[in-house]
Amino acid sequence: MALAHSHTRVVDLSTIIPRSPGWAVALATLAWAVGCGSPGADSQPLAFNHALHTQEQSIACTECHRGVQTGDTAGFPSIKVCAECHQDATTKSADEKKLLAAIAKNEELPWRRLYRVPIHVHYPHARHVAAGKIPCERCHGDIAKSTRPPSRAFNDLTMDFCLNCHAERRATNDCLACHK
């Protein structure tokens, strides 16, 4: 495979990358990591204040992230979940105005994910949170105390990170328990 550059120089990738399955996996992992990097706090639709909700108003993570106890993903709260508490403005915040406008239009907010596991990893939140009683903070750090969206994930969800938790909890390290 050859790629032409703007300098009209052609690079034959077959001379650079050996033809082995290991390299294909390495390149796929690199492409995934580059494509799924943390977008940062400024790219979120609202400067969401978790501390206001979880600390000051004592709202549990599971009140908004409802899929965490029953499904594979925790997911972002739907606009209907936000609407359960936010019908009228209580502040003069521009973000609250954006939220109320989205609620009025029944329009989902375009939240950007900070946490991802590779496509070949199966991580069911329900098994870990509801059945395993693992607190959100174990993987998501002090997100509940944050006053703005974090610029990056609090923890890198690497295989070592997962294996350490499995060892601490005496959970299985059978590859097929997590890898598809």
Side-chain angles (χ1 to χ4, degrees):
M1 173 192 305
L3 294 178
H5 293 274
S6 60
H7 304 290
T8 64
R9 184 173 139 212
V10 176
V11 176
D12 183 0
L13 293 179
S14 66
T15 63
I16 299 170
I17 301 169
R19 294 175 190 247
S20 72
W23 277 97
V25 171
L27 281 174
T29 302
L30 177 63
W32 174 85
V34 170
C36 298
S38 299
D42 294 335
S43 67
Q44 296 294 0
L46 302 175
F48 187 81
N49 184 338
H50 275 90
L52 173 69
H53 292 80
T54 63
Q55 308 295 299
E56 294 178 32
Q57 297 176 358
S58 300
I59 299 171
C61 301
T62 55
E63 286 295 315
C64 299
H65 299 278
R66 294 182 177 163
V68 80
Q69 292 185 331
T70 58
D72 283 351
T73 62
F76 293 107
S78 75
I79 201 68
K80 290 178 180 163
V81 170
C82 299
E84 290 173 10
C85 297
H86 295 275
Q87 293 89 23
D88 301 309
T90 57
T91 69
K92 294 183 183 198
S93 159
D95 279 337
E96 187 177 38
K97 287 179 186 172
K98 283 187 216 174
L99 175 63
L100 292 174
I103 290 170
K105 296 176 191 172
N106 197 29
E107 183 177 275
E108 296 298 331
L109 294 169
W111 296 107
R112 300 211 191 352
R113 290 177 64 172
L114 292 179
Y115 292 90
R116 286 188 194 274
V117 293
I119 196 163
H120 63 277
V121 174
H122 179 65
Y123 180 88
H125 269 83
R127 181 186 312 160
H128 291 82
V129 177
K133 306 290 184 220
I134 298 172
C136 303
E137 298 80 22
R138 178 68 172 107
C139 299
H140 296 284
D142 282 338
I143 189 74
K145 295 178 183 173
S146 67
T147 57
R148 293 187 47 78
S151 59
R152 63 178 210 83
F154 284 98
N155 291 309
D156 293 324
L157 303 181
T158 63
M159 187 166 170
D160 283 341
F161 182 87
C162 297
L163 287 174
N164 287 337
C165 187
H166 277 230
E168 288 169 15
R169 295 176 169 277
R170 295 190 172 128
T172 183
N173 278 338
D174 177 10
C175 300
L176 296 177
C178 303
H179 294 269
K180 298 180 202 179

